[in-house]
């Protein structure tokens, strides 16, 4: 059982990134921070579009920044929003996290009023599709 007590640098990075979210349609700003295997932190925020489905998620942006910087392994993740309860990553973002993080990687979920929960990538996406399903032995 993980005890909520995130590493503050990750929470702070996600909180700061959230400030720059572009969310004029939902008015729901989300920030994310990914710690790469190198220890560096990569941040993202949601970027909406007048053509609604074109919008992108905070986790998506943070993981993209990590990959562009040359890293492909996330060792800790944080997502935060102004929500009544710690905000969970969307289904699509769970799949994105799964691509770059092992099942035991901690995924922190926070709210701007200080609530926090921890899970793992494996627990967030049980029964995930992975490359193994594309190979017939
Ligand atoms: N959103 C994220 O950025 N990440 C999530 O995991 C959940 C949802 C964004 C997408 C959209 O801009 C807004 O939150 C409302 O759905």
């Amino acid at each position: 059982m993980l005890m909520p007590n995130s590493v503050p640098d990750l929470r702070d990075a996600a909180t700061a990134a959230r400030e720059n979210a572009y969310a004029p349609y939902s008015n729901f700003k989300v920030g994310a921070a990914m710690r790469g295997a190198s220890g560096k932190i990569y941040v993202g925020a949601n970027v909406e579009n007048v053509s609604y489905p074109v919008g992108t998620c905070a986790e998506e942006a943070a993981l993209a920044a990590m990959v562009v910087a040359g890293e492909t392994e996330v060792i800790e993740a944080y997502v935060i929003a102004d929500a009544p309860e710690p905000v969970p990553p969307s289904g699509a973002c769970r799949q994105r996290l799964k691509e770059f993080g092992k099942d035991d990687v901690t995924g922190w979920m926070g709210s701007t009023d200080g609530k926090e929960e921890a899970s793992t990538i494996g627990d967030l996406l049980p029964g995930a599709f992975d490359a193994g399903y594309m190979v017939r032995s």
Side-chain angles (χ1 to χ4, degrees):
M1 171 71 178
L2 287 157
M3 294 306 293
N5 183 15
S6 68
V7 182
D9 61 349
L10 209 58
R11 181 187 172 90
D12 289 351
T15 300
R18 180 185 164 274
E19 295 296 323
N20 287 337
Y22 177 76
Y25 305 106
S26 70
N27 282 315
F28 190 69
K29 290 184 167 194
V30 184
M34 305 292 155
R35 195 187 310 280
S38 72
K40 273 188 70 177
I41 292 174
Y42 304 93
V43 298
N46 53 332
V47 179
E48 298 184 344
N49 191 281
V50 65
S51 178
Y52 297 170
V54 180
T56 49
C57 279
E59 302 92 317
E60 186 177 359
L63 288 167
M66 184 185 83
V67 171
V68 170
E71 294 205 52
T72 53
E73 189 178 0
V74 60
I75 60 168
E76 198 174 15
Y78 204 109
V79 57
I80 190 165
D82 181 13
E85 298 298 329
V87 67
S90 69
C93 287
R94 294 174 194 216
Q95 186 75 44
R96 292 185 176 105
L97 287 163
K98 171 89 184 171
E99 183 73 22
F100 298 109
K102 296 190 173 78
D103 277 357
D104 64 353
V105 162
T106 301
W108 294 100
M109 297 161 276
S111 64
T112 51
D113 61 1
K115 291 183 187 151
E116 199 164 71
E117 280 176 18
S119 186
T120 62
I121 290 179
D123 284 350
L124 286 167
L125 194 62
F129 172 73
D130 64 26
Y133 289 99
M134 297 195 292
V135 182
R136 204 175 263 286
S137 54

